[in-house]
Amino acid sequence: MIVGLMKLSEGDITISGHSIQNEFEEAVQHIGAIVENPEMYKFLSGYDNLKQYARMQKT
């Protein structure tokens, strides 16, 4: 969602004061990402995808 690969499920994300909905190009100038294979479930919200990923990590 932060880098525009998935649509926001709700709300907004701001990066350095720039909204990714309204000022995407300005916002993403402040981040870097390497995405090889996004393993996200489109039927889950961003938060629920993070919870699912966290369940699979050893602590």
Side-chain angles (χ1 to χ4, degrees):
M1 291 181 182
I2 292 173
V3 297
L5 296 176
M6 290 182 67
K7 187 175 182 176
L8 289 171
S9 52
E10 64 180 70
D12 194 6
I13 298 170
T14 57
I15 303 167
S16 295
H18 299 283
S19 160
I20 66 164
Q21 288 187 5
N22 303 321
E23 305 170 283
F24 182 79
E25 290 182 17
E26 293 87 349
V28 296
Q29 288 179 4
H30 300 279
I31 61 171
I34 297 174
V35 179
E36 294 183 18
N37 192 14
E39 300 292 336
M40 302 210 176
Y41 299 104
K42 293 188 179 200
F43 60 90
L44 295 177
S45 69
Y47 179 71
D48 288 336
N49 268 289
L50 289 173
K51 289 193 309 187
Q52 176 69 8
Y53 182 74
R55 271 186 349 102
M56 296 184 280
Q57 299 302 309
K58 293 181 180 180
T59 56

